[in-house]
Structures are given as structure tokens and as C-alpha cells.
Amino acid sequence: MKKALFVLLAFALAPAVWSQSNADTYHQAMQKHLAGLDTLYIASEWVARANAFERIAQAEPKQWLPLYYTALCYIQAFNFEEDKAQQKRYSEQAERFIARADAMQPNDPEITLLKSMAASMRVRLNPMLNGARYGRIADDMLDKAQQLNPDNPRVYVQRASNLYFTPRMWGGNKERAREMVGIAERKFSIFHPASDLHPDWGRNTLRYLRSLMENE
Amino acid sequence: MFSLPVSVRWGGFGLPAAIVFEMFFCAFGPVVNAQMTHVRGRVTDGATGEALPGASVWLVGTYDGATTDLSGHFAFTTERHGVGLVRISLAGYASDSVLIALQSDTVRLTFALREATARVGEVVITAGALEVSDRSRGAVLTPLDVVTVASAGADMYGALRTLPGAQVSTGDVEGLFVRGGTGSETQTFVDGLLMRHPFFASVPDFAVRGRFNPFLFQGTVFSTGGYSAQYGQAMSAVVLLETLDLPERTESRLSLTCLGASAGRQQVWERQGRAAGIEVNYTHLGPYFALVRQEPDFAQAPENVGGEAFFRQKTGANGLLKAYTYYNFGRVGFQSTAPDGQAQTFGLRNRNALTNLTWSGSLHKRWHLYAGASVSRDFSRISSAYTTVGQDTFSLRQTLAQGRLMATCALSTTTLLRWGAEHQAGIEVFENERYGRSMLPEHFTAAFAEADLTLGQYTALRAGVRFEYSALLQQSNAAPRLSLSHRAGRHGQVSLAWGHFYQKGDSLLRWREQWGALPGFQRAEHFIVQYQWLKDGRLLRAEAFYKRYAHLVSTNDGIGNEGYGHAGGLELFARNRALFGALDGWVSYSFLDTRRRFWWYPTAVEPPFAARHTVNAVARRFFPKLQTNLSLSYSGATGRTYWRPGQPAEALFTERTPAFHNLSISVSYLTRIGRAFAIAVVSVQNVPGVEQVFSYRFSPDGQTRQAITPPARRFFFAGLFLNWGADRRREVLENF
């Protein structure tokens, strides 16, 4: 009887002990993989980060941030990849993880921004087939992300980059892009992420856009 | 290295043992120990042995893991102790897991991954079927292909004609002529319901277009033989159209073309899972005919006015109700000179109305139910005059009501059972001043059952049977169908199909009063062998078929079922689907050898709707900088036989028309006009202006002939398609 009770107790306590030690490890692991995220320039490095965040996600089924970063890494892998077939795979993976993150954290401004980015990826994969439909989803999601948090600088980085790289006849506008860069810079100066694990990327992209504009 | 007494290895997803184990690990995890275990190894492609970079390898329930490098190697360390489950995953491959002992030493692992497509249940029955879809990887065309094929002129059937098996030079009559069959041997089904009038009303010596707007459909399967027991009353082929589920967006559309205009609006209520839409269209070819001279002389250029509306409502978790209604009124009239020099006129007025209602959804995890009903009416009034015969008018009124029920049940992961029944109640009233009136009331009932079985990992079998009873013919039939697919190698698949296909005698039944009898069911038996190779959007397929016809309707000696025939052939299809910005296209070749005795033919002859060799080539390229899509297509066919009056029986249908060539070009430009997404399209069919002879008509003595050609050498098309999303682009940008 005593033995049985002990086993029962051990089972009851185990998860508590496990998750307590986890809070630290979770934090450390996330920080480790977030470090230098802005400085990766090779698709395979982004995939490796995506895999790392995916591992954290499967070990931490209650956290949405690992799913968010997995998706973000696939989006970046897409941006640094040239092979169309690989790009397609990354786009599908990104959408998968966005959907999972979205299910846990509905109407989150940062996840909504990823939705917009994922739709833009679809457009870039096949403008003929996806242009009309996903172009609009991308616009709508960007608007929604801004509505959910008008102070999120990444929304304006994304707007700036859309305006800058889209051909003029498709609604691109370099003047407006420049304005957006300005807004994003102002928003960044007053932006504070909810925690050191929450999204805080985008400054590098902004600097890159600024440098492109100044070299014109 | 220590290895477990039982090396447990799971391939694929979702095996119960692996899940249970994983749940256990997620809850407790391996015990932490200060000592490290090193896990290292290599991941390769099981079929080619090539290294697989970018794969994720990790200890389930922990953060410990790594990504494979360019040479497929990985290495990670873990502080866990005990027993661990190592899992590997890579997009496009089936994931794999292995149990290892973690005891502070080095564990070496090798994984040889299988492509995910080789998974159980992924063997798709493909014999005979050509799929048009965005979603299926085996699809040969996407819906966008359909509208951008230069020779198709945005007609779905025009695009299907570029696929192997279909005739390209039957420009004198509507319908898809497949593998030696007549146009009426191909039937169209929308969401499982038979469409009696998929084409605009027939006009002699002209091929009219399909009625349906290609953007209404999310998937099309064109099966040129050996199809499922779900479908009947088609001896040669079926075109299966699946309408869109819930549209994604509220939007408005406007199209302006050189033939007419259409405007539409669809509204989506996302929260309620509801959508509705309406579209109206008007076409009048008068202005176009004034610019491009046509032969014959059109007293009434083709004019059509119509509209369609749809409604969608989600019911429950995965049920969907679809309603669709269509109406069209059209008229056309022309004068021409018959081969004997006499004047003749032709006039047609047609009204067509259709309403479809379907519901499908799951009742339970394993049970999927479908119910559909449809009512359609078609009324044609034709008046023709020929100097010596005088005015002759007849009308044809066809009404059809149908209902269909189908249940699908997954008995296990490897067995799928499908069964159902359908009933059609219809009446056809045919009236003619000279021959009087004939009525054909019909009650037609069919039931079918079919099983999809996965036999082992690489083989799928579909076996079905279909029973039909026609109250009009007072006859029944039972049609067995079988098909088998087997994966051969990583990218290959071999398929076989066989089956019986019955069909009523179509328009000849209308003359029951005159013949004093009704012919029974006709039958075709199909044998198909296919090899298909599919890799990264490249598809190659070769298909050989043999078709045996029996009990074809014959009229030589009173009306009866004395006809017979055969068709055999070989078809090749190759396509390269480039993702974007590269050359994309397909080529197809069909060889057809067929002879049949039916209708009034005294002997088995090579029928006039079957060219021996048919070739199609379609190439497209999108130029991203110019935002322009260029599409070229070529269709060619050797000559068709034709009938000349006064020939002896043995010489009938031995003369041939010249070979047919059609080179078409289409340029589409994508842009924005104001807030609208716009596509401007210009296309020309028969660019070089080659004379295209479909057949000949003769004077009664057979001495004078007239070539049946398109009404103009070239066909020009220009159109602008605009699309607006509602509530879109609130132009937040303007606010700054």
C-alpha cells in the first residue's frame, strides 16, 4: 500500500517538477536561438533555426512563441532561397506553423503580420495564379495587424518594403516607402516588447531599406 | 554501443504505438543526468542514397536536437538519461522515429527516408483520368491553365481538347469526341449531378462553346475511360466538375470583351460561413461580325443573355450546402447557299434553366454523406427553310429532375466503401409540323457500390458495380468496373482499368413514333494500361487502350441494336510545370484506330469524327518584369473521313479531309486599373490563316461539294477582366 502511494505521489509530482525546471530552460533555449536572428543570410541557417524553434514548440505545447518563430524562420528562409521548389516548401511550412500559432493566440498583431507575409510569399511564388487572391489577403492582413496594434513598428517595415519593391503599376511607391521607413523608425524608438522573448526583430531590414534609399 | 533488445522503428505518421510513447515522453521526459549522451549520424534518401540536408532530428519531448548539414550529418548532445525517442522530420518525406538508450556514450544513427508520396494511401487511381486542379499533385492542368490556353478561348472544353484522347478537328459540331466515341458519349457532371446541356444549343456545322464559366470550378477531372461506378450513361468519357466551396473574398467582377460583357458580385459572410453571388452576362456577336467578315451570312448574329447565382452555407463542422442556378436565352440565324445552289436559312431560339442543390458533410469521423438534387429545362425552337422543301419548324422541350445520394465510409485506413443511388425523372417533347409530336417520358434509376482498397504499401485497387434501370426502355443493366494502380519506383506508377459502360441511344430515341420501336442500351467495354511518371511538376504518361462497342443503335433494318465497333490506340502526354518565370507547357499525342457500324452505316467504317493522329503542344511563359503572360498553342490532326452520296458501300467513308492545323497565340497583361486587379487578354486563333476543313457537305447527287469550315479564317479575341475586392485597401497609407 505504501509503495503504491509512493508511486502515485511520484507520478503526481513529476510533471510539476518537470515544468518548474522547464521555465528556466525554456527561457534559456529561446534566448539562445533568438540570439543573432537578425544576422542570418543563408537559407539553410534559417531552416536550422526553424528546426530549433520547432523542437522547443513540441516540448512546450502551451507556448505560442516557438511556433511564431518557427514560422518566421521559414519566411526568412524563403526570402534567402532561390530555388522555387524549396521556396514552395518553406512557404507551406510557414503557413502550417502560423495556423498553429494562430489557433493558440487568436488575433495577435504579430501573428497577423506573419499571415500577411505568408500571403505575399504565395504571390511571389506564382503571381499569375495567386496575385489577385493572395495579394488582397496580404493587404488585408497588414491592415488588420496595424489595427490590432498601431504601434507595432514591423507593420511599417513591411509596408515600406512592399511599397519599395512592388513595381509602380502594382501600387508600389518609393516616396511613400520612404515615409513608411520614417514612421517605422519613430515607432521603433518607442517600442518595447512584452518580454525579451517577444518579437523584436525588423531593425536590420529597416536599416537595409534606408541604405537602399540613400544610395538611389 | 548499447542497443535495445528490440530496435523499434516507426515509419510514417500516426502509428498508435508511437503516439502513446510520445504522450508518455511529453508528460515525463527522460530523467536528467549531468552526463552527456552524444547522438550523431546521417540522413539519406532511401531511394537514391543522396544526403538530405535541412532535416530536423531531435529527442522527443526535449529541446535537444540538430539540423542535418549539407552532407546529411547531424550531431547533438543531451543530458537526459534512460530511454529516448529520436524523431526525424523533413518536409516532403515521411518522418521516422527510433528508440535509443541514453547512457552517457555516443549513439550513432542512420536514417534512410522515404518520400512522403510513397506513403500508404497515396497511390491514386489514375488510369484514364486527367485532372485539372490546384490542389492535387497528380493534376495535369490547373484552372488557370484552362483560361490561358491560347486555342481554348476561355472555354473549358477547348482546353480539355488539348489533352490526349480528345479530337481537335471536330470544329463543326459541339462536344468532346473521345477515343473514337461520338460527342454524346461524353457526359458532364457538376458536383455529381448530370448536366444534360453543358454546351450552348447546337447549330449545324458550328461548334458551340460550353455554357459554364470556368472560374466557377475548383476542380475538373476529365476521364477518358475506365471511370468510377459512380458515373453512368457515358460510353466514352466523363467531365467531372466540382464547384467552388466557400469563396475566400467578397468581390466584384466586370468583364468587357469584343463579344459582350458580364458583371458579377459575390459576398462572403465569414463568421456565418455563408456566401452568395450573382453574375449577369450579355453577348452579341453582331459588332464583331461587322468587323470580321463571316461566312455564312448571319441574319441574326449569335446573341445570348443570361445570368447565374449561387449560395453557400456551412453547416456544422464540415458540412457545406451549395445552391446554383443558371438561366440563358440565346438566338442565332443565318442564310447560306446549299451545295446545289439553293438558298437555305436556319434560325434557333433556345432557353435553358438549371438549378442545382447539393449538400455534403461528415456525420461521423468515418462517414461522409452527399445528397444532391437538380432540375433543368431546355427549350429549343428551330426553323429552317430550303427552297425546294419550304419552311420547316420543330421544337424540343426537355425537362429533367434528378436526385442523388451517396455515402462514403472509411472502414479502416486501407478500405474505403462508397455506395449510392440516383433517380432521374424526365420528359422530352419533340414537335414537328410534318412528323407530329412525340413524347418520351423517362424514369431512370441507378445504384452503385464501390470499394477502394489499399493492398500493401504500393498498390491500390478500386472495384465497383453499377446497376441501372430505364423505365422508358424497360431494360436494366449491370456494369462492373475495376482499376488497379501500382507504384513502380520512386516516381512511377502503373495502372490498369477495365469496365462496362452503358448508354441509351440519345437523340434517335426521339423518333420512336416513326420507327415504331425503341432501341435498348448500348455498351462499351474499356481496357486501359497506363504508365505515369511524376517528379517535381514534370509529368509523363503513356496510355494504351482498347474499347469494344456492342449493341450500338442501328437503323439499317428498322431501329435496333445491331451496331458494333472497336477503338484502340496509344496516347502520350508530357508536361513541365514551371513554378514561375520559366517555360511551362505540355505536349500530347494520340493515335486512334477505330471502326464502327452504327446508325445507317451498312458496314463497319472509320467514322467521320475520328482522326487517326492528333498532336497538341501548349507553351506558356510569364515575364515578371513585363507582367505579361505569353501563351502559344498548336493543334494538329490528320484528315477525317467524310460521307459522299452515291458511293458504293465498300467505298463509304474512305475519303479524307486535308490535315487540320491550328496555331493560336494569346497575350495577357496583368495590371491594376484604379483599385481593380485587371487582366487584359488578346488572342488570335489560327494565326497563319490556314484553311481548316472539318468536313464536306454534298449536293444530293454527290457531284458538288462544299467545305465545312469555321465561319472566318481567324478568330480574334480581346477582353478586359476587372476584379475588385470590397472593403479592401482602406488606404491606411493615405492617413499619414
Side-chain angles (χ1 to χ4, degrees):
Chain A
M1 183 62 205
K2 243 183 190 171
K3 194 175 172 190
L5 202 71
F6 174 76
V7 171
L8 210 69
L9 200 69
F11 266 77
L13 283 180
V17 172
W18 180 229
S19 58
Q20 200 179 24
S21 73
N22 244 4
D24 276 349
T25 27
Y26 168 68
H27 203 98
Q28 279 167 18
M30 288 293 282
Q31 272 184 326
K32 179 181 158 201
H33 296 296
L34 285 172
L37 206 58
D38 248 9
T39 60
L40 302 181
Y41 295 103
I42 300 169
S44 63
E45 288 178 358
W46 284 107
V47 172
R49 288 289 173 108
N51 286 341
F53 285 116
E54 189 188 349
R55 287 198 294 274
I56 300 177
Q58 56 87 37
E60 303 290 346
K62 291 199 177 107
Q63 302 285 354
W64 66 274
L65 282 169
L67 294 168
Y68 169 88
Y69 285 112
T70 312
L72 177 67
C73 290
Y74 276 119
I75 291 173
Q76 297 290 17
F78 179 100
N79 290 333
F80 289 98
E81 178 63 60
E82 304 214 324
D83 180 59
K84 285 280 168 188
Q86 282 290 11
Q87 277 193 332
K88 191 158 180 261
R89 237 165 259 152
Y90 297 154
S91 137
E92 286 165 3
Q93 288 287 74
E95 285 178 9
R96 243 183 73 206
F97 285 98
I98 290 169
R100 285 176 59 190
D102 190 46
M104 285 172 77
Q105 187 82 359
N107 290 322
D108 181 89
E110 301 285 357
I111 297 172
T112 308
L113 178 65
L114 292 198
K115 285 185 182 173
S116 169
M117 295 169 84
S120 306
M121 278 151 64
R122 287 259 195 163
V123 177
R124 281 165 61 191
L125 271 176
N126 196 336
M128 254 322 251
L129 192 67
N130 298 334
R133 189 204 271 173
Y134 287 97
R136 266 189 244 118
I137 295 177
D139 290 348
D140 284 359
M141 286 299 152
L142 198 51
D143 292 351
K144 189 180 164 194
Q146 180 170 339
Q147 213 176 30
L148 291 169
N149 180 7
D151 291 325
N152 181 358
R154 277 167 291 287
V155 169
Y156 308 94
V157 175
Q158 185 64 18
R159 284 201 190 284
S161 136
N162 286 351
L163 286 165
Y164 190 82
F165 293 110
T166 306
R168 208 175 171 91
M169 65 183 158
W170 287 94
N173 186 331
K174 297 211 167 161
E175 267 319 297
R176 281 222 205 121
R178 199 180 285 272
E179 289 167 31
M180 283 301 137
V181 166
I183 294 167
E185 283 167 346
R186 284 202 299 282
K187 299 275 180 189
F188 263 123
S189 67
I190 54 161
F191 179 78
H192 295 288
S195 83
D196 58 342
L197 300 187
H198 278 74
D200 193 24
W201 53 273
R203 289 186 179 80
N204 244 10
T205 315
L206 194 62
R207 273 194 287 276
Y208 173 63
L209 280 171
R210 176 60 86 189
S211 72
L212 281 180
M213 287 170 181
E214 262 143 35
N215 289 337
E216 246 172 26
Chain B
M1 166 196 148
F2 171 85
S3 83
L4 283 167
V6 202
S7 170
V8 195
R9 202 174 249 265
W10 293 289
F13 308 102
L15 279 167
I19 291 170
V20 171
F21 192 82
E22 224 168 284
M23 280 162 60
F24 177 79
F25 262 108
C26 290
F28 307 107
V31 185
V32 180
N33 184 295
Q35 310 252 255
M36 294 275 197
T37 299
H38 298 265
V39 183
R40 54 179 71 236
R42 186 157 186 253
V43 182
T44 55
D45 183 310
T48 62
E50 286 167 27
L52 291 176
S56 185
V57 186
W58 77 99
L59 190 62
V60 172
T62 75
Y63 306 155
D64 305 329
T67 298
T68 56
D69 61 17
L70 279 176
S71 58
H73 285 99
F74 65 88
F76 65 89
T77 56
T78 179
E79 295 180 356
R80 314 274 165 204
H81 210 238
V83 176
L85 181 69
V86 174
R87 167 153 281 209
I88 171 151
S89 83
L90 176 63
Y93 287 84
S95 52
D96 199 358
S97 310
V98 61
L99 268 181
I100 59 165
L102 305 163
Q103 43 180 17
S104 320
D105 55 3
T106 300
V107 180
R108 286 182 194 281
L109 297 171
T110 55
F111 291 95
L113 296 189
R114 267 202 331 262
E115 251 194 310
T117 50
R119 254 162 48 209
V120 175
E122 285 275 352
V123 196
V124 183
I125 303 275
T126 55
L130 299 154
E131 194 174 359
V132 179
S133 160
D134 271 341
R135 300 171 300 174
S136 160
R137 60 190 279 285
V140 294
L141 299 182
T142 67
L144 193 80
D145 291 334
V146 170
V147 291
T148 54
V149 170
S151 61
D155 177 18
M156 189 157 32
Y157 293 93
L160 296 180
R161 260 178 216 115
T162 65
L163 297 177
Q167 292 287 319
V168 295
S169 58
T170 48
D172 51 337
V173 54
E174 74 278 1
L176 280 173
F177 291 73
V178 177
R179 292 184 172 171
T182 63
S184 63
E185 289 175 30
T186 300
Q187 300 274 22
T188 299
F189 295 84
V190 172
D191 292 330
L193 297 166
L194 174 69
M195 290 300 105
R196 279 289 286 276
H197 311 280
F199 294 92
F200 284 109
S202 176
V203 178
D205 298 341
F206 295 106
V208 292
R209 297 160 57 92
R211 285 185 188 272
F212 298 114
N213 172 356
F215 287 107
L216 273 176
F217 304 101
Q218 61 189 10
T220 304
V221 173
F222 176 36
S223 179
T224 53
Y227 31 89
S228 150
Q230 285 179 60
Y231 308 103
Q233 292 301 304
M235 282 199 293
S236 280
V238 288
V239 177
L240 310 173
L241 303 171
E242 190 193 350
T243 56
L244 289 165
D245 291 342
L246 272 184
E248 300 205 0
R249 294 276 330 201
T250 289
E251 63 181 32
S252 306
R253 290 181 295 270
L254 176 68
S255 68
L256 302 164
T257 74
C258 60
L259 312 177
S262 78
R265 163 94 185 158
Q266 72 183 35
Q267 186 90 32
V268 181
W269 294 271
E270 216 163 313
R271 204 167 298 161
Q272 288 93 334
R274 186 180 305 149
I278 186 161
E279 182 132 0
V280 288
N281 60 70
Y282 176 74
T283 58
H284 193 303
L285 271 61
Y288 176 78
F289 283 3
L291 283 170
V292 184
R293 213 179 73 80
Q294 309 281 311
E295 183 72 42
D297 180 24
F298 283 85
Q300 165 67 57
E303 184 184 10
N304 277 284
V305 53
E308 54 198 5
F310 73 84
F311 177 76
R312 303 275 183 274
Q313 175 69 54
K314 267 191 174 172
T315 59
N318 49 14
L320 184 65
L321 182 79
K322 294 179 176 182
Y324 172 69
T325 183
Y326 168 95
Y327 172 82
N328 182 269
F329 167 73
R331 56 181 176 173
V332 59
F334 60 81
Q335 293 144 9
S336 59
T337 311
D340 57 7
Q342 306 221 46
Q344 56 186 14
T345 63
F346 174 87
L348 163 78
R349 295 163 74 84
N350 172 269
R351 280 172 211 283
N352 185 282
L354 161 79
T355 300
N356 269 12
L357 191 67
T358 64
W359 179 83
S360 72
S362 301
L363 287 186
H364 176 264
K365 245 185 181 171
R366 297 179 161 189
W367 281 82
H368 190 263
L369 219 73
Y370 159 92
S374 152
V375 181
S376 68
R377 292 196 69 142
D378 187 86
F379 174 69
S380 279
R381 189 183 159 82
I382 293 168
S383 40
S384 61
Y386 186 52
T387 327
T388 50
V389 181
Q391 183 83 13
D392 193 13
T393 304
F394 58 93
S395 67
L396 180 63
R397 203 183 295 267
Q398 289 166 286
T399 308
L400 176 73
Q402 58 183 320
R404 182 180 160 94
L405 278 171
M406 184 168 85
T408 310
C409 175
L411 289 181
S412 70
T413 51
T414 56
T415 311
L416 194 76
L417 216 61
R418 194 181 291 122
W419 70 94
E422 63 191 46
H423 185 81
Q424 296 171 1
I427 186 156
E428 219 181 281
V429 183
F430 178 68
E431 268 179 293
N432 177 269
E433 284 164 4
R434 212 172 320 154
Y435 300 107
R437 174 184 164 109
S438 89
M439 268 174 52
L440 285 179
E442 164 73 310
H443 277 277
F444 176 86
T445 309
F448 56 88
E450 192 173 64
D452 285 2
L453 306 163
T454 309
L455 310 169
Q457 201 171 327
Y458 298 113
T459 311
L461 175 76
R462 174 179 291 170
V465 63
R466 181 180 175 89
F467 300 95
E468 294 175 337
Y469 175 74
S470 162
L472 176 68
L473 307 185
Q474 294 192 307
Q475 202 182 16
S476 61
N477 71 64
R481 319 253 168 111
L482 264 182
S483 40
L484 182 84
S485 284
H486 180 75
R487 285 189 71 87
R490 262 179 85 191
H491 306 290
Q493 179 166 310
V494 179
S495 302
L496 300 169
W498 167 82
H500 282 185
F501 302 85
Y502 288 90
Q503 189 167 4
K504 288 184 271 186
D506 313 315
S507 58
L508 281 171
L509 300 185
R510 257 170 234 159
W511 303 91
R512 168 165 71 165
E513 303 298 322
Q514 288 71 38
W515 290 108
L518 269 179
F521 283 119
Q522 314 174 88
R523 190 184 77 197
E525 185 178 10
H526 298 182
F527 301 87
I528 297 169
V529 184
Q530 184 210 67
Y531 176 76
Q532 172 173 303
W533 184 90
L534 175 67
K535 191 191 175 196
D536 300 336
R538 248 165 288 185
L539 173 71
L540 279 174
R541 67 198 281 166
E543 196 161 301
F545 69 91
Y546 183 77
K547 192 149 83 175
R548 198 153 56 194
Y549 284 101
H551 314 303
L552 293 178
V553 174
S554 57
T555 58
N556 308 77
D557 191 15
I559 200 159
N561 288 89
E562 308 304 316
Y564 55 87
H566 77 265
L570 180 72
E571 293 162 3
L572 302 171
F573 180 77
R575 101 150 280 169
N576 179 34
R577 179 171 299 157
L579 277 166
F580 166 53
L583 193 69
D584 172 279
W586 63 92
V587 287
S588 70
Y589 165 76
S590 312
F591 167 72
L592 172 66
D593 173 56
T594 181
R595 292 184 89 79
R596 62 161 73 190
R597 178 185 172 226
F598 80 140
W599 297 346
W600 57 271
Y601 301 177
T603 55
V605 297
E606 202 176 325
F609 42 80
R612 280 179 88 77
H613 303 274
T614 305
V615 182
N616 282 290
V618 176
R620 297 178 321 167
R621 181 155 182 191
F622 184 71
F623 298 92
K625 284 210 178 111
L626 302 172
Q627 297 294 328
T628 298
N629 186 69
L630 178 68
S631 169
L632 279 169
S633 70
Y634 167 78
S635 297
T638 53
R640 288 162 52 188
T641 61
Y642 57 87
W643 172 69
R644 181 152 65 83
Q647 277 182 314
E650 63 277 9
L652 283 176
F653 294 102
T654 49
E655 294 170 23
R656 285 170 194 281
T657 60
F660 171 89
H661 302 280
N662 185 20
L663 179 70
S664 305
I665 184 166
S666 161
V667 181
S668 39
Y669 173 66
L670 282 72
T671 186
R672 276 179 195 243
I673 297 178
R675 294 184 179 189
F677 178 86
I679 305 180
V681 183
V682 178
S683 71
V684 186
Q685 288 187 35
N686 191 15
V687 180
V690 179
E691 185 176 38
Q692 298 171 334
V693 177
F694 302 131
S695 186
Y696 295 99
R697 40 181 119 71
F698 286 87
S699 59
D701 58 5
Q703 294 308 302
T704 326
R705 77 172 189 189
Q706 230 175 32
I708 302 176
T709 61
R713 280 282 167 96
R714 295 181 185 83
F715 177 72
F716 300 93
F717 177 82
L720 182 66
F721 301 87
L722 298 160
N723 191 315
W724 294 264
D727 73 282
R728 156 184 101 82
R729 303 199 134 251
R730 288 186 309 280
E731 293 301 339
V732 197
L733 302 174
E734 307 285 9
N735 301 335
F736 288 94

